[in-house]
Amino acid sequence: MLRILNEHYAVNLLNANLNTNYADELRVPSTQNSALELVKQHKEAFEWIQQAVELMKPDNVHICDGTPEENNTLVQEMVARGDLIALNPEKNPNSYLARSDPSDVARVEKCTYICWPTKEEAGPTNNWVEPNEMMATLRGLYDGCMRGRTMYVVPYSMGPVGSYLARVGFEITDSPYVVCSMYIMTRIGVPVLKWMVEKQLPFIPGLHSVGSPRLDKSIPDSHWPCNDKKYIVHFPHLRTVASFGSGYGGNALLGKKCFALRIASALAKDEGWLAEHMLILGITNPEGKKKYIAAAFPSQCGKTNLAMMMPTLPGWKIECVGDDIAWMHPGKDGRLYAINPENGFFGVATGTSLHTNPHAMNTINRNTLFTNVALTDDGDVWWEGKTDDVPEHLIDWTGKDWTPASKEPAAHPNSRFAVSTNQCPSLDPNWEDVEGVPISAILFGGRRPLTVPLITQALDWTHGTFFGAAVSSQTTAAAEGKVGELRHDPFAMLPFCGYNMGQYFQHWLDIGNKAEDAHLLPRIFQINWFRKDKNGHYMWPGFGENSRVLKWVFDRSDEPLTPSAIAHASPIGFLPTDDAIDIDGLEGVTVETMKQLHAVDVPGWFSDLASCEHYFSQFGDDLPQGIKDQVALLRRRLEEYASSPAEAR
C-alpha cells in the first residue's frame, strides 16, 4: 500500500495562507449523516476537506454515503432542474440522458499536465509545468470556485473494498453528475470510509470543480456548467490530482484515467507492478480449460467489444472481467495477476449495436446514464450504428431537431454510457477476486489499415515490450483533435502514463528481467482487426469472429516460444500457419485472404521502423538499451528476409 506524508494531502496545493486551526465541524452547512461522522475519524482526510472548504467556499458540504437513496435523490434533483432527461421507463428503465456543453465533449490532452519536480521526470510526451507554479495557478482558479454550489465529497475505492490490491481516494467536486457517475464507476461511500477509518489508510486526494460559481442565483444555471479554462493536473510525487473547468468523464471522474492510470502508473513503477490501459477477459475452450487475456488498444479501437465478445466458435465462451483498466501484480507463483479496479463501464455508445456488441446492448438497457446520445420521439436513446433503420426524427445531442437529411450526426461521435459492471450478462464470476486473475496472454493493437498482420506473437517478453512501445493507431473521437491521423501511442498509454515514457518502457523490461521463470510470464501478441485491402475494405470481419483469432492465442500460450504446427517464424515474430486460424463458414475470407493478412510487408515494415526510430529519439538517454536492441534486431531480420530467395520465406 502506498505511503504519503500527511502534509502532502493539503499543504502543497491548498494550504497557502489558509487557516490551520481546524475545529471538529465544517464551517458551512453540512448534511448530517453517518459518512460525515466517519470522515471526522480520519484526521488527515477531515483536515484536507476543511482546507478545500476554506479555499473553494461552497454554500454547503455533503459527504457521500454511497446509498441508492442518496444517488436517486441527486438524480431526481438533476431531472427537476433539467440537467438530466428521464428516459422512457418501458424502453430503458431507471435510465437518464445528459447533454454536455459543446465545448466539453472529450478528454483534453492539451490541458492535461504531469507535474513532477523536473521536466525530465515527466518526459517529452507529457505536458509539464513546474509544480509550485501550477499550484499557484490552481489556487487562484479554486479560490471561491464553488460559491453558490454544494461541495460533494466522494470517498471511493479502486478495486474491491478490503482487497490488498485496492487503493482508496477522495474526490471533492461541485458536480452532481460527477457524483452519480462515480457511484456507477467506483465503489463509494460508507463501506469505503469504514475501511479507511479502521486501517487509517492513506488516500489519493482529488479536487474537481466545473469552475462556474453561482454568484447570482436569480440567473438560471447552465445544465452543464463548465469553464473555457481547463486544467487536468497530476502531481505523481504527491499522489494528488486536481481538475478544473470540465465536467466530462475522463477529465472529471478522477478515479478513472487520473488515478487508476496516471497516478497509479507512477505508483506501480515504485512498487513493482503494472497499471495499464487494458481490458481483461476470461476465455474457456470446449474442454472446459480457462485462461485470462489482457489487451491494450487506444480508445475507440474495440476494447469493450472484445471484452464483451459473443464468440462465434462453437463451444467457446468469453467472459468479461473489465473493459478499460488492468492492475497487474506479480504473484507468488511467478505469474502476473490482474484486477479490474473499476466498478462500471464508461463505454462509447456510437457504433454499439446488437451486431457489434450484443452483450453491451443487454447491459445498457436499464439503470444507465447516457451522455451526448440522441433522443427518440418515444423517449428512447439512439446513436449512429445502433440500428440499420434510421429514425425519421430525433432530438440530437445538442438538443436540436434532427432528421436523416441533417448534416451533423445525431449523437456525438464520443457519446457515452455509464453502467454498473454487475449488469453485464457475460460477467466473469471471478471479476472481483481479491487475488486477481492469472494472465496467460497480453495483446497490443490499434487501427492500422496497412502493414501490421491480423495476429503476430512476440519472440519473448523483451520483444513483446517492443510490440507495446511501437503501438501506433489512427486517432478517434475519444480525444480532442483531428480524427483518422496515424499517431504513436505506446502501450495505448500515451495520454495516461504518469511519468517519463522512456522509463516506463524500462519498467516493462524490468518486470521481465526480474521474473524468476520467464516461461510463466504472459505470452505477448500484436493484433490488428482493421487491416484493409487495396479497395479500402476491411479484410477481417471482426466482432464475434475475433474469437477465431483468440483461439490461436489460447493455443499458442501453452506452447514453447518456438515454431510449431500452428505457428511459423518470421522476421516480425511468430505468425499463424495458413490453416491455423479456422475460417470455416466465413463469407469472403479465403486461404488467400489469410495469407494476405499475415504477409510480411517488408517496405511497410522498414517504413514503420524508421517512424519508430524517429519517435523513440525524443526519449534520448531515457530510451532503454533493450528497446534499441530490438530496433536493431528487427532491422537485421528484415534485411535477411528481404535478401533471401522467395521460396525460402
Side-chain angles (χ1 to χ4, degrees), residues 598-612:
H598 294 117
V600 178
D601 176 5
V602 174
W605 277 106
F606 274 125
S607 177
D608 261 30
L609 195 57
S611 179
C612 281

Side-chain angles (χ1 to χ4, degrees), residues 90 125 156 225 231 242 282 293 298 304 327 486 517 575 577 596 610 615:
E90 295 182 0
T125 60
Y156 67 96
Y231 288 85
I293 295 172
T304 302
W327 287 357
L486 193 67
D517 186 348
L575 294 170
T577 54
Q596 294 177 28
Y615 183 79

Side-chain angles (χ1 to χ4, degrees), residues 290-341:
K290 186 170 189 177
K291 297 181 180 181
Y292 289 93
I293 295 172
F297 314 143
S299 295
Q300 288 194 0
C301 286
K303 289 198 308 298
T304 302
N305 287 346
L306 185 61
M308 297 185 187
M309 183 201 299
M310 187 175 290
T312 57
L313 280 180
W316 288 77
K317 181 167 65 174
I318 289 177
E319 294 167 301
C320 178
V321 176
D323 78 326
D324 195 40
I325 297 173
W327 287 357
M328 296 189 290
H329 296 70
K332 295 179 181 178
D333 61 357
R335 306 178 71 185
L336 280 184
Y337 286 77
I339 66 166
N340 167 20

